Amino acid sequence: MSSAINIFLTGGTGYIGGGVLARLLVHPKAAQFNIKALVRTKDKAAIVTAKFPAITPIIGSNQDLDVLESAAAEADVVFAVADCDDLPAAEAILRGLKKRHESTGKTPVLIHTSGTGLLADHAAGLYAGEDIYDDADAAQIATLSITRIHRDVDLAVEAADTEGYAKTYIVLPSAVYGLATGPLVDAGFQNRFSMQIPMLIKAGLDRGQGGVVGKGANIWPYVHIDDCQDLYIVLLDAALSGSDKAGHGHQGYYFAENGEHNLYDVSAEIARVLFELGKGQRPSPTVFSDDEVKKYFGGPYIGSNSRARANRSRALGWSPGKANVEVLASSRPEIDAILESGNTTIYAIPKWLMAKYEAGH
């Protein structure tokens, strides 16, 4: 690549993407970076312009396919950190990268965000799954059906690498925990909150009692937000090195996980804290009814098993520093922050995505 490195990032106002954007600003090669970030509103763009002049905002969303294609066509590196099930948006970015390749002869880089929800089964909280996926085992990952959530987008990204017009790396965050911090959070630009644990917290606050899906026997891998964001930079550095030490395309799946918990333990800690704060009737969780599962989560997805091992990520040099036991300890700060923000709005998984999950395993 030339001395100037053009970077385009989507999802910069989000929980993960904002942290990646902040890391780019302090990267050792930051002076070489020309960073463009997609933002939805003029207000967010104004924050970037006023406080982070090294970032050029592009106003738009994943629905603005021409904007995505045009921005990708000018990029050496694209970070796609927005909706991992938006196939039209992914295809627009890929069209732009193909144009970049055709016009310059260079092979641009795409670091795309998927998720270990790809591995989710239909346990409904009733049992611990036995299938464990290894990101270093490309043949095992290749067995996953295109009908699973995220998979159609992942395969489109992988195909671009096979065709040779982009080097693609797919990051699969697990259940990310912890409050996001940093300058973009402080500026009111970046979302602080993850999904799984806040969903359980807000459900508990709404019903006045911490709850659990089924028996809570299902298992998910977890990763702290800081460690998750670090993986993107490890991949960027590997891609910019000019070597092929980082597998890409078919060999380019990278889990972000640092241990696992069953959902009962997480739900029990939330219930205990809510009880201590006078927001729950008892210190142990009660079972969500079927109606509550639909109301609070959109369906039984949160009761699934998703088991993963990040062996490829670690072999590349990713070294998560946050101990996995902090998952449980993170509940109290998250509850305090949600109560302080006053934002207890329930976020249920959209019906179309839940239908895809239910049909896809």
Side-chain angles (χ1 to χ4, degrees):
M1 292 186 179
S2 63
S3 58
I5 301 169
N6 298 316
I7 296 176
F8 173 53
L9 183 144
T10 68
T13 61
Y15 177 62
I16 296 175
V20 175
L21 192 55
R23 280 159 171 72
L24 294 175
L25 294 175
V26 296
H27 191 278
K29 293 186 177 182
Q32 296 175 250
F33 294 166
N34 296 322
I35 304 170
K36 295 181 179 179
L38 190 72
V39 297
R40 287 180 177 272
T41 67
K42 292 181 178 179
D43 289 344
K44 294 288 187 180
I47 292 174
V48 170
T49 301
K51 297 188 176 183
F52 306 99
I55 303 170
T56 300
I58 299 176
I59 297 177
S61 71
N62 263 20
Q63 284 67 55
D64 297 307
L65 302 184
D66 290 345
V67 173
L68 293 176
E69 182 175 338
S70 177
E74 297 176 352
D76 298 303
V77 179
V78 173
F79 289 91
V81 202
D83 186 347
C84 54
D85 285 282
D86 193 333
L87 183 59
E91 290 174 334
I93 288 172
L94 292 173
R95 287 195 299 272
L97 292 176
K98 190 171 187 178
K99 287 181 178 179
R100 179 71 173 177
H101 178 68
E102 292 171 345
S103 65
T104 67
K106 300 176 182 179
T107 304
V109 169
L110 172 59
I111 301 176
H112 172 77
T113 305
S114 179
T116 63
L118 171 69
L119 314 177
D121 64 13
H122 288 170
L126 299 179
Y127 58 86
E130 296 181 356
D131 293 334
I132 301 176
Y133 289 82
D134 183 342
D135 61 2
D137 189 343
Q140 183 193 32
I141 292 174
T143 65
L144 294 166
S145 169
I146 194 173
T147 58
R148 287 177 178 253
I149 62 172
H150 315 335
R151 188 61 170 155
D152 55 346
V153 181
D154 292 353
L155 289 174
V157 170
E158 182 183 323
D161 191 283
T162 301
E163 291 181 38
Y165 65 83
K167 279 191 175 182
T168 65
Y169 308 85
I170 299 177
V171 180
L172 297 94
S174 53
V176 190
Y177 70 93
L179 294 167
T181 60
L184 295 175
V185 173
D186 296 340
F189 181 81
Q190 177 189 353
N191 172 34
R192 299 178 67 194
F193 298 100
S194 62
M195 289 185 61
Q196 190 185 78
I197 289 177
M199 287 172 75
L200 288 165
I201 290 170
K202 290 181 178 182
L205 288 170
D206 185 75
R207 71 200 289 262
Q209 172 61 46
V212 65
V213 176
K215 297 177 181 179
N218 58 302
I219 298 172
W220 267 73
Y222 285 80
V223 65
H224 190 273
I225 180 58
D226 293 343
D227 291 331
C228 180
Q229 293 161 346
D230 286 346
L231 179 55
Y232 287 83
I233 303 304
V234 169
L235 283 167
L236 173 67
D237 290 343
L240 295 181
S241 72
S243 74
D244 266 344
K245 67 177 182 178
H248 52 90
H250 178 64
Q251 299 281 347
Y253 288 78
Y254 294 85
F255 293 145
E257 65 80 23
N258 192 28
E260 56 186 20
H261 282 279
N262 65 50
L263 199 68
Y264 185 85
D265 290 343
V266 176
S267 298
E269 180 63 12
I270 291 171
R272 185 190 68 78
V273 175
L274 290 177
F275 178 75
E276 285 187 355
L277 294 174
K279 303 294 184 179
Q281 298 176 4
R282 52 186 290 183
S284 56
T286 59
V287 178
F288 290 112
S289 68
D290 290 345
D291 287 343
E292 286 178 322
V293 168
K294 291 180 181 178
K295 173 182 177 181
Y296 295 127
F297 314 116
Y301 172 75
I302 200 169
S304 63
N305 288 286
S306 171
R307 305 192 66 184
R309 298 291 183 266
N311 290 319
R312 186 185 296 276
S313 296
R314 287 180 171 84
L316 189 61
W318 179 63
S319 181
K322 300 289 186 179
N324 182 253
V325 294
E326 295 178 5
V327 174
L328 303 183
S330 73
S331 296
R332 178 61 186 264
E334 294 235 26
I335 291 170
D336 289 342
I338 288 171
L339 291 172
E340 182 181 354
S341 72
N343 182 10
T344 57
T345 302
I346 302 297
Y347 171 80
I349 296 172
K351 290 182 179 179
W352 68 267
L353 184 55
M354 188 57 61
K356 186 175 181 181
Y357 157 71
E358 291 177 344
H361 180 64

